[in-house]
């Protein structure tokens, strides 16, 4: 505190000296020699209202270990027993759709939270609802109900180049909204063991604790990434920060909005990144790309005609540098989507169109909506008039409840339900018998679940 006071006093003293020694100006000049002074202020005036502060409350289970000295009295009955403890947390978020009130943040910011409070730049505080999250990529989608929200435009992160200017916006250490600047230091960073699916933008814009979930923008104020992590021995900024690319985030969020979950696409190959050793052994003319060691039978890659020994160098016309980058980009593209892969085979470039299959590890969104919907795969109807039952697993709770393939859920207890998000909200904390309004074979009927 003494050091801080000294710095403030010194600053005041230097300001006083400056005022006595320098001529007084009514304001700083906006131009010098006819040239406008560069400033990020106009861009930030439009971008910063779309970045919010997030505070959370909740409980989490922690392992309770009994010291050896007390085991004589308590035995092992408390040893290893988890206990719930309250926690609070701070982070940031980005409004990507003002009409719907959608806010993107990191999953680790709101994980296990019972209360999520959003603070806008204008000072308004709003309670947020969690619509869905993807732990493996650390993305979460929230929703607030408010008017006059600002939203940020999403840029194409695949067009980024190393050296492009970046601006990070967030709320570090709970200080309130803070802006820092830097450049894109690297692209396609992976193998950091931060998340399961990694394809990070690296930046030297200062990112600290509390910036998680905030915006990384370009000089046009467009969103290029969601700030996620830093590399620092003591948790402080050392000029190495990482952000989830906006394209990856956008792909995942669209799936959460449509299905209530991430339905991760799978290619069905294993391999490694091309390096000089592989390039020499396989007589390749490139030192970058994803070398395929094995293609799983009946996988998307197998059905498209990919083979072991192929080197994937582009996804939808965009170059990739490593197998990890391939995995990260494919993992954010939804199941059932088609992608074009450019492959080097026997020295020639070939293009394959692959329809991605669904990861077996994907959680069924229906189970998280209501226990009697477990085993059903849901999707929003194309006309936004209900929820289509795509598939019902045999002997699942959904089948035992009477649901069939092709059923369309249009309401709950006579309340109109247009999409999965509304269905989740209506069934939240519902107890007892619930009446689902169903259209089956073009006939309306009720289905009771409990």
């Amino acid at each position: 505190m003494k050091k801080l006071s000294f710095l403030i006093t010194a600053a005041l003293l230097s300001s006083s000296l400056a005022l006595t020694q320098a001529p007084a100006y009514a304001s700083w000049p906006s131009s010098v020699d006819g040239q406008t002074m560069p400033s990020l202020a106009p861009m930030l005036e439009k971008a910063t209202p779309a970045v919010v502060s997030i505070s959370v409350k909740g409980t989490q289970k922690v392992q309770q270990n009994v010291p050896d000295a007390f085991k004589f009295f308590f035995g092992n009955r408390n040893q290893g027993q988890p206990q719930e403890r309250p926690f609070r947390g701070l982070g940031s978020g980005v409004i990507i759709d003002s009409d719907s009130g959608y806010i993107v943040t990191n999953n680790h910011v709101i994980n296990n939270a019972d209360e999520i409070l959003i603070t806008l730049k204008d000072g308004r505080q709003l309670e947020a609802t969690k619509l869905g999250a993807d732990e493996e990529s650390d993305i979460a989608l929230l929703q607030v109900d408010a008017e006059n929200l600002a939203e940020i435009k999403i840029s194409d992160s695949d067009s980024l180049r190393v050296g492009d200017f970046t601006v990070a916006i967030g709320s570090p250490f709970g200080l309130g909204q803070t802006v820092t600047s830097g450049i894109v230091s690297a692209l396609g960073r992976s193998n950091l063991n931060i998340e399961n699916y990694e394809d990070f933008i690296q930046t030297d814009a200062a990112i600290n604790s509390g910036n998680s979930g905030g915006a990384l923008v370009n000089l046009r104020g467009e969103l290029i990434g969601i700030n996620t992590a830093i590399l620092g021995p003591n948790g402080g900024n050392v000029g190495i920060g990482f952000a989830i690319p906006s394209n990856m985030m956008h792909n995942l969020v669209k799936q959460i909005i449509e299905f209530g979950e991430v339905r991760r696409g799978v290619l069905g190959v294993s391999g490694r990144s091309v390096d000089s050793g592989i390039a020499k052994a396989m007589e390749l003319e490139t030192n970058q790309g994803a070398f395929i060691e094995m293609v799983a039978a009946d996988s998307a890659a197998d059905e498209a005609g990919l083979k072991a020994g192929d080197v994937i160098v582009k996804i939808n016309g965009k170059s990739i540098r490593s197998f990890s980058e391939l995995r990260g980009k494919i993992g954010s593209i939804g199941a059932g989507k088609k992608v074009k892969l450019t492959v080097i085979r026997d020295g020639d470039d070939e293009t394959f169109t692959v329809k991605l299959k669904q990861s077996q590890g994907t959680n069924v969104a229906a189970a998280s909506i209501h226990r009697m919907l477990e085993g059903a795969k849901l999707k929003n109807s194309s006309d936004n008039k209900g929820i289509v039952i795509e598939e019902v697993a045999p002997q699942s709770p959904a089948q035992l409840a009477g649901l069939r393939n092709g059923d369309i859920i249009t309401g709950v207890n006579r309340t109109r339900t247009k999409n999965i998000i509304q269905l989740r909200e209506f069934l939240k904390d519902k107890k007892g018998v619930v009446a689902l309004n169903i259209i089956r074979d073009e006939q309306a009927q009720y289905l009771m679940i409990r």
Side-chain angles (χ1 to χ4, degrees):
M1 191 66 184
K2 289 182 179 179
K3 184 177 181 181
L4 178 61
S5 299
F6 172 77
L7 291 174
I8 293 174
T9 303
L12 291 173
L13 179 60
S14 106
S15 296
S16 175
L17 290 173
L19 288 173
T20 58
Q21 295 176 2
Y25 290 100
S27 62
W28 290 104
S30 60
S31 63
V32 176
D33 296 331
Q35 298 294 318
T36 301
M37 295 287 286
S39 175
L40 298 177
M43 176 273 286
L44 291 170
E45 288 171 358
K46 296 180 180 179
T48 53
V51 182
V52 304
S53 297
I54 300 177
S55 60
V56 300
K57 296 179 183 177
T59 57
Q60 59 185 1
K61 292 183 178 181
V62 295
Q63 206 72 10
Q64 181 69 16
N65 293 317
V66 178
D68 292 339
F70 293 97
K71 287 183 181 178
F72 177 80
F73 298 100
F74 299 104
N76 290 324
R77 62 188 178 188
N78 291 325
Q79 182 70 16
Q81 294 296 318
Q83 291 188 348
E84 289 192 347
R85 291 184 179 176
F87 73 89
R88 294 173 180 264
L90 297 171
S92 305
V94 186
I95 302 173
I96 60 168
D97 188 326
S98 58
D99 293 332
S100 300
Y102 292 151
I103 298 174
V104 174
T105 186
N106 288 139
N107 177 66
H108 75 259
V109 171
I110 52 85
N111 194 30
N112 296 321
D114 298 321
E115 297 180 28
I116 306 173
L117 187 66
I118 302 297
T119 302
L120 304 179
K121 188 184 179 185
D122 63 15
R124 283 183 290 170
Q125 291 190 324
L126 309 166
E127 290 187 2
T129 301
K130 176 182 173 181
L131 298 182
D134 182 41
E135 184 176 355
E136 294 184 290
S137 62
D138 202 16
I139 283 293
L141 181 65
L142 310 177
Q143 187 175 36
V144 294
D145 184 10
E147 297 181 351
N148 300 320
L149 295 175
E151 70 179 36
I152 201 163
K153 183 179 179 181
I154 300 175
S155 179
D156 177 11
S157 56
D158 286 341
S159 65
L160 286 174
R161 299 175 301 170
V162 173
D164 285 349
F165 287 106
T166 61
V167 177
I169 311 170
S171 302
F173 302 113
L175 291 172
Q177 194 174 88
T178 301
V179 176
T180 56
S181 64
I183 63 169
V184 173
S185 304
L187 294 166
R189 285 294 194 216
S190 57
N191 297 320
L192 303 174
N193 297 319
I194 299 173
E195 309 300 342
N196 197 1
Y197 288 88
E198 299 181 342
D199 183 25
F200 291 119
I201 301 166
Q202 181 182 326
T203 180
D204 64 345
I207 298 174
N208 288 285
S209 178
N211 272 109
S212 289
L216 189 69
V217 303
N218 58 25
L219 293 187
R220 291 186 296 273
E222 299 166 340
L223 185 69
I224 58 174
I226 300 296
N227 299 323
T228 297
I230 59 173
L231 188 63
N234 300 312
N237 172 62
V238 293
I240 302 178
F242 301 100
I244 298 169
S246 57
N247 286 3
M248 183 176 183
M249 174 278 294
H250 200 213
N251 287 336
L252 297 168
V253 165
K254 285 191 294 185
Q255 294 173 56
I256 293 173
I257 293 172
E258 183 174 0
F259 303 113
E261 66 175 351
V262 171
R263 294 188 177 178
R264 183 161 279 109
V266 174
L267 188 58
V269 300
S270 61
R272 64 180 64 200
S273 300
V274 174
D275 56 21
S276 58
I278 292 177
K280 183 177 180 180
M282 300 301 296
E283 298 180 351
L284 301 175
E285 295 183 359
T286 179
N287 289 311
Q288 293 184 331
F291 179 75
I292 299 178
E293 295 179 325
M294 185 193 74
V295 177
D298 300 322
S299 65
D302 185 32
E303 293 176 0
L306 293 175
K307 298 179 181 179
D310 288 344
V311 178
I312 302 174
V313 292
K314 291 182 181 179
I315 300 176
N316 292 331
K318 303 289 186 178
S319 298
I320 61 169
R321 290 166 286 275
S322 65
F323 194 88
S324 296
E325 187 175 355
L326 169 72
R327 184 174 183 272
K329 290 187 182 300
I330 291 294
S332 68
I333 300 174
K337 301 293 185 180
K338 292 182 179 180
V339 295
K340 287 186 177 181
L341 301 180
T342 302
V343 169
I344 297 177
R345 177 183 291 178
D346 298 328
D348 297 324
D349 287 1
E350 298 187 29
T351 301
F352 296 84
T353 299
V354 183
K355 185 177 181 180
L356 301 178
K357 294 192 174 183
Q358 185 169 337
S359 169
Q360 297 301 311
T362 301
N363 295 323
V364 179
S368 65
I369 296 174
H370 193 283
R371 62 184 183 84
M372 291 307 296
L373 297 181
E374 182 177 354
K377 288 186 178 180
L378 314 177
K379 75 171 183 178
N380 293 329
S381 64
S382 57
D383 55 6
N384 198 35
K385 292 183 178 180
I387 300 97
V388 178
I389 308 297
E390 281 190 304
E391 183 180 335
V392 179
Q395 301 304 312
S396 65
Q399 186 186 59
L400 297 176
L403 285 172
R404 299 179 187 175
N405 294 355
D407 285 349
I408 303 175
I409 301 173
T410 59
V412 178
N413 293 345
R414 295 186 177 183
T415 300
R416 189 81 172 86
T417 307
K418 296 181 179 180
N419 51 53
I420 292 173
I421 290 176
Q422 287 186 356
L423 179 65
R424 183 190 298 275
E425 186 65 26
F426 289 150
L427 291 179
K428 182 180 180 182
D429 301 326
K430 281 286 191 302
K431 296 181 180 179
V433 177
V434 176
L436 296 182
N437 308 128
I438 299 288
I439 294 179
R440 177 180 295 167
D441 299 328
E442 299 184 354
Q443 297 292 321
Q445 56 183 279
Y446 284 98
L447 182 66
M448 303 296 177
I449 63 174
R450 68 169 66 234

